[in-house]
Amino acid sequence: MEYSETSMRIHQLSPLDALASLKSTVAGLSGAEVERRLHEFGRNEVEKVSRGPVWLRFIKEFTSFFSLILWVAAGLAFFAEWSEPGQDMAKVGYDIVTVILVSGLFSFWQEYRVEKTLAALRKLLPQQAQVLRDGKITRVPAEQLVPGDIVHLEQGDNVPADCRLIEAFGARVNNSAVTGESLPKARNAEASSADDLTDSKNVVLAGTSMVTGQAKGVVFATGMHTEFGKIAHLTQTAGEEVSPLRKQIAHLSRLTAILAVAIGLSFFALGWLIGIPFWKAFIFAIGIIVAMVPEGLLPTLTLALVLATQRMAKRKVLIRYLPAVETLGSTTVICTDKTGTLTQNHMMVRRLYLGETFDSTDVVKQQPGLADRYRPFFLTARMCHDLKETESRGKPAFLGDPMEIALVEMAQQLASGLPVYPRLDEIPFDADRMRLSTVHQAPEGPALYCKGAPESVLPLCRHILADGRIEPLGAEVKAGIVQAQDAMAQRGLRVLAFAFRQLSAGYDRGKLEEDLVFAGLTGLEDPPRPEVPEALRKCREAGIKVIMVTGDHPRTAAAIAREIGLVKSDSPTIITGEQLRRFSVIELQLALDAQEIIFARVVADQKMRIVEALRKKQQIVAVTGDGVNDAPALKAAHIGIAMGIAGVDVAKEAADMVLLDDNFASIVNAVEEGRAVFENIRKFLTYVLVHNVAELIPYLGFLLFKIPLALTPVQALSIDMGSDTLTALGLGVERPDPQIMRRPPRPYDERLMNWSLAFRSYLFLGLIEAATAMAAFFMVLHRAGWKYGQTLAARDPVYLQATTACLGAIILMQIVNVFLCRSATRSVLSTGLLGNPLILWGLIPEIGSLLLIAYTPWGNSLLGTAPVGAGVWAFVMPFAAGMVVLEELRKWLARRRLFNPSAAAVSESAQAA
């Protein structure tokens, strides 16, 4: 029989037939057969998503499109030096190579450091398993399991492979990591009639865990053949989505390259036509290309993203890939899991139904007498369970079903001093009975305590505990109990009924669960995180749609959604996995237009369908998840968000970021940081492009008007890579605007550099700065008696002082410009001068580099400069003041347009440039 065929129908066979179908026996496999099957079927391990060798990823950091442009610019500089030595172009080439190396190293270091952090969090499949081979139980590494092995599972064990149970005693499993269901499911060994293997009650899946009971199962699928492995394969085959920032940087790189080459070739052709020697015109074309490429943009961008990830880490968000920082800010839809993200992943008792009245736990605390009158109710909660008592940090603790732990904790808190009677007997919980009964030796004699589903327990009851008295259970009272159960269920609570009875010393075990006394109902839930409602409010204000996608029951999902404020209307759209399976692509896209929508009972491939449908609607999608079932959707989304505490390794490997506290509110904090990153990139992009214009104009003047070149290529590069670096980085780490989360997400196709940013950079601030630099250059020449048409040697002291004045003017104007670029609309009086410490610290090396360049022999030799008098700096100051006045006037006009009612539709993001 084929391996895959066995996997498809083994759950429909009896235990003995299941063993026979896998050619195994009740004594397990022999050692020789294990070796043969291990060779045939492979090791029991899930293949990790291949990210390529470290050395290859390291090299890729230096081969992005923008890096390639810089490599070409460096190559041209070296070629120019080879063609015409003595022009300092080799220095330009070496400096550009340094930029590329520094940027690549920073980017690689950040991602490698995060990978090391994740490696410390890895908790995939169990390391050891108890297996029966040759009739003996032994412990073997889990990766050595093969189909046909018989494994023993106990409470607290992780399931190492897909198994068909052949024996089960009170077994319940936690399937949340694979199916997304938050509540434990009962398992037995009987043949199943279910069509789907994952719905069968006699199958336990790799990656799940035993909550209670014991079981013995025969392995029928290992490694990539397990359901766990199949979902991991989906993760590997899901296409990688290019982040919006990568697209924007690629577009900006292409635009910069085209613009630089076009201007360079135009100047080359023009110079050749007007009689400049071929090689000299070519050298100047290279100088123009180098001047037009913003070499400082790449390291500044990289450092800004690195610092943003460090800020996010302080807010419990671990960024795996640097571009994911900005992608968060673009997010328009968040698809979030419920359990552990919106909720605390910790069951709690929320409502009690004692006698014929509802009570909250707080009411019972305030009325100690109530707990005394309903003492049997609390004794049932305390003793009727399958938990293992242990210690944690020196204190008593329990291991097992979270729901049973919540009931024990409730009993201990509300009814102090409860005794624990010795257990005499039990009738285990199973999927058919839907209840658990235990017998204990009470002081009055044996007593039975029972809990389970109300529809299972209530028919066994003939009496009711009412205010401390045992009374007959009439039809009217029973109907009231059913109504109370329905009311709790409508609120999304998990409802359990409690009952008890006193037994005679020689009780009949076959009649234990007869003539019970109904003690009450409990309503449990996984309560919402307290920070979530406020986080959802911020999402609404920010124009971000939040969609709950869960494996839980629709009623539970809707109740939690209403409690946290995700749903406010009376009739939200709720789509189950079964309904979703029948939807066409178009129907799903239309359904996603609903204002409030919840997906419940969904499986892994359906979650990925939802993500893909949202992407087709031009949405920027963020998806949260913790289980292996979430991994394909995490990878398919624009940004995948894995849980750091509850998340499995497959989910973390597929994600772009990891929540260290598993808290939805941390996502909103990260979105705020991401939006600030985009705005800050625009700020330092404006800042960088302004001095690019001031660097270009000297070449234009040299070629068109035959004046001395006011700024040499190596001097231009000193601005790009040296003096401006820290101040530009300061703009990259500006704090988020207080109003940034009250604006809608920017349009999907909005460019990083749009027309308004280009106008402000190139045609407004850039021209002012260029005019200042050229004025300072001519002022020095004029004072030295230079006449138009006069040629100056490259080492002429006057020429060296004039270029120093031009370079110094650009640096001084950039010192002023950095404060102007802190906001595109707010006045410098509003943003202030002291609000960003990094900018202030950046001014020190900027001023220091100016003094070093102008007044030290080393700086003079390196950049071809000469000391200038104080009159040069005094000459520049009025220009700097004029730029402030003109920019303040432009901002005032921009604010008027922004707050004008007729322009209310103009988004703040459109004004940001």
Side-chain angles (χ1 to χ4, degrees), residues 635-693:
K635 191 170 184 182
H638 291 93
I639 182 159
I641 306 170
M643 303 297 111
I645 299 173
V648 299
D649 188 64
V650 170
K652 294 172 188 172
E653 289 285 348
D656 300 290
M657 58 177 274
V658 178
L659 294 185
L660 299 179
D661 60 355
D662 291 8
N663 195 336
F664 180 84
S666 297
I667 301 175
V668 181
N669 294 336
V671 169
E672 183 178 20
E673 292 285 354
R675 288 191 173 188
V677 165
F678 187 83
E679 297 297 318
N680 291 343
I681 291 174
R682 279 186 157 175
K683 290 173 185 177
F684 70 67
L685 181 59
T686 303
Y687 179 70
V688 168
L689 294 180
V690 166
H691 69 65
N692 270 37
V693 178

Side-chain angles (χ1 to χ4, degrees), residues 529-743:
R529 290 180 178 269
E531 313 89 353
V532 167
E534 174 64 17
L536 288 171
R537 183 191 64 78
K538 286 185 177 181
C539 284
R540 282 192 298 273
E541 288 185 349
I544 300 171
K545 185 175 183 178
V546 180
I547 300 175
M548 182 190 291
V549 184
T550 179
D552 267 351
H553 192 280
R555 190 163 57 189
T556 304
I560 290 293
R562 198 172 299 283
E563 186 174 354
I564 62 180
L566 180 60
V567 165
K568 293 185 175 294
S569 64
D570 295 332
S571 54
T573 300
I574 301 177
I575 299 175
T576 65
E578 187 61 34
Q579 293 171 321
L580 183 58
R581 194 171 287 113
R582 298 192 293 267
F583 276 20
S584 68
V585 174
I586 294 176
E587 287 174 323
L588 177 56
Q589 287 186 232
L590 292 173
L592 286 166
D593 290 331
Q595 290 295 315
E596 297 176 340
I597 184 167
I598 296 170
F599 290 93
R601 292 292 193 211
V602 297
V603 293
D605 60 327
Q606 293 176 329
K607 194 167 187 177
M608 193 158 68
R609 275 192 68 196
I610 296 167
V611 172
E612 290 170 345
L614 287 165
R615 283 173 50 186
K616 288 178 180 177
K617 293 172 70 67
Q618 302 297 301
Q619 302 291 333
I620 303 293
V621 188
V623 175
T624 71
D626 55 6
V628 66
N629 61 312
D630 297 316
L634 291 174
K635 191 170 184 182
H638 291 93
I639 182 159
I641 306 170
M643 303 297 111
I645 299 173
V648 299
D649 188 64
V650 170
K652 294 172 188 172
E653 289 285 348
D656 300 290
M657 58 177 274
V658 178
L659 294 185
L660 299 179
D661 60 355
D662 291 8
N663 195 336
F664 180 84
S666 297
I667 301 175
V668 181
N669 294 336
V671 169
E672 183 178 20
E673 292 285 354
R675 288 191 173 188
V677 165
F678 187 83
E679 297 297 318
N680 291 343
I681 291 174
R682 279 186 157 175
K683 290 173 185 177
F684 70 67
L685 181 59
T686 303
Y687 179 70
V688 168
L689 294 180
V690 166
H691 69 65
N692 270 37
V693 178
E695 293 165 6
L696 174 64
I697 294 299
Y699 289 90
L700 185 64
F702 172 80
L703 209 56
L704 296 182
F705 303 106
K706 296 185 177 180
I707 60 175
L709 183 62
L711 193 72
T712 65
V714 71
Q715 289 173 346
L717 205 59
S718 71
I719 302 171
D720 292 340
M721 296 174 44
S723 61
D724 272 4
T725 303
L726 276 181
T727 44
L729 186 59
L731 289 173
V733 296
E734 280 277 299
R735 295 175 183 172
D737 188 308
Q739 301 298 315
I740 202 167
M741 289 299 286
R742 296 185 179 179
R743 307 170 193 156

Side-chain angles (χ1 to χ4, degrees), residues 100 106 121 166 232 254 270 421 462 520 569 661 688 695 839 861 896:
I100 301 169
F106 264 112
L121 299 174
I166 55 176
R254 287 192 296 269
L270 182 61
Y421 302 139
R462 298 291 179 268
S569 64
D661 60 355
V688 168
E695 293 165 6
I839 288 179
S861 173
R896 286 195 61 186

Side-chain angles (χ1 to χ4, degrees), residues 384-398:
C384 185
H385 59 74
D386 286 324
L387 300 174
K388 286 185 178 179
E389 296 196 28
T390 181
E391 283 192 3
S392 176
R393 297 180 181 178
K395 296 181 179 180
F398 296 94

Side-chain angles (χ1 to χ4, degrees), residues 266-300:
S266 299
F267 276 49
F268 169 71
L270 182 61
W272 196 21
L273 288 175
I274 63 175
I276 296 177
F278 176 87
W279 281 112
K280 193 165 187 177
F282 183 70
I283 296 300
F284 275 106
I286 292 175
I288 289 171
I289 292 173
V290 171
M292 286 298 296
V293 173
E295 292 85 0
L297 179 60
L298 186 59
T300 304

